[in-house]
Amino acid sequence: MRVELPHPWPESVAEAEAIQERLRPRVELTGPARFATVAGLDVHYHGDDELSAAVVVLDAATLAVVEQVVTHGVAAFPYVPGLFAFRELPALVEALRRLTVTPDLLVCDGYGLAHPRGFGLACHVGVLTGLPALGVGKTPFVGAYEQPGRERGAWTPLVLDGAVAGRAVRTRDGVKPVFVSQGHRLSLDTATDQVLRLTPRHRLPEPIRRADHLARHGG
């Protein structure tokens, strides 16, 4: 599949922050609500800097695997809070470019608008590919929220600087919520709905679970 790269990979914090600021206005917060294929993106680290990046495309209705790709490399940027995407994006871009099918939705293990500059990994990947994208975090990175109800499907807003940046969503009864945020070309309602649709049995959406397994165990 095609992935645009409108910037060189940064070599400094200032360059990385400037890229985020420059690309943030490209983010669109409306788009389609139904998707035939869904891709999970995840990165696993082997030690401090060696990593594997995995993309697993699933049929959205059956959750059967359509295609999967894993690449191996080295983190491309130091660990800096808010700039974590730059460690992983080069390997993820390589994996996406190896796909022979173009998925309709990207589900990222990370954040979208729920980010200090409103431009997390899901936003960046969405802008580079032009595809709808959302982020699912296991823990809250920024913002404040109240605990949602204990039942599956309950959610509360994640608020950052007085604006809604995402939602804390309960995907299983009585299990810790996940933190859903828009990345690109979809509404927050659609992002929430898709996370619940893609999480029939576990806490995390199936595309991310499959990508995590592939990144950990290779191929």
Side-chain angles (χ1 to χ4, degrees):
M1 64 171 279
R2 182 178 178 181
V3 182
E4 177 190 5
L5 195 59
H7 58 76
W9 298 119
E11 297 182 0
S12 70
V13 168
E15 289 175 0
E17 290 180 346
I19 288 170
Q20 290 179 334
E21 296 287 354
R22 187 170 72 249
L23 294 184
R24 183 175 56 187
R26 295 195 190 185
V27 171
E28 301 172 18
L29 301 180
T30 60
R34 296 184 179 182
F35 309 93
T37 54
V38 180
L41 286 67
D42 197 16
V43 171
H44 178 69
Y45 287 83
H46 311 279
D48 292 334
D49 292 316
E50 292 186 10
L51 57 80
S52 297
V55 180
V56 179
V57 182
L58 304 181
D59 181 291
T62 66
L63 300 183
V65 175
V66 175
E67 186 178 11
Q68 60 185 31
V69 174
V70 62
T71 61
H72 308 284
V74 176
F77 197 80
Y79 174 72
V80 180
L83 300 177
F84 199 70
F86 291 101
R87 289 176 63 80
E88 304 183 347
L89 272 169
L92 283 171
V93 165
E94 181 184 353
L96 287 165
R97 284 174 167 167
R98 291 186 185 183
L99 289 177
T100 62
V101 300
T102 299
D104 299 316
L105 174 66
L106 304 178
V107 180
C108 301
D109 178 17
Y111 307 93
L113 295 186
H115 177 273
R117 280 172 294 282
F119 196 76
L121 174 65
C123 296
H124 209 144
V125 169
V127 168
L128 294 185
T129 61
L131 296 175
L134 64 89
V136 180
K138 303 178 188 71
T139 58
F141 179 36
V142 294
Y145 71 100
E146 295 183 358
Q147 282 290 335
R150 290 181 57 81
E151 72 279 7
R152 169 181 160 83
W155 59 265
T156 55
L158 180 66
V159 179
L160 176 65
D161 297 330
V164 174
R167 288 175 179 168
V169 180
R170 194 84 68 183
T171 53
R172 292 186 65 193
D173 291 352
V175 172
K176 290 189 298 183
V178 297
F179 298 88
V180 178
S181 54
Q182 295 156 276
H184 186 51
R185 291 189 57 211
L186 83 173
S187 70
L188 186 51
D189 283 344
T190 296
T192 304
D193 177 66
Q194 288 301 311
V195 168
L196 290 169
R197 286 176 180 270
L198 296 168
T199 315
R201 292 180 296 276
H202 302 281
R203 180 185 175 222
L204 294 175
E206 201 64 20
I208 290 178
R209 291 186 69 254
R210 300 284 185 92
D212 173 75
H213 186 271
L214 181 62
R216 286 175 182 274
H217 302 289

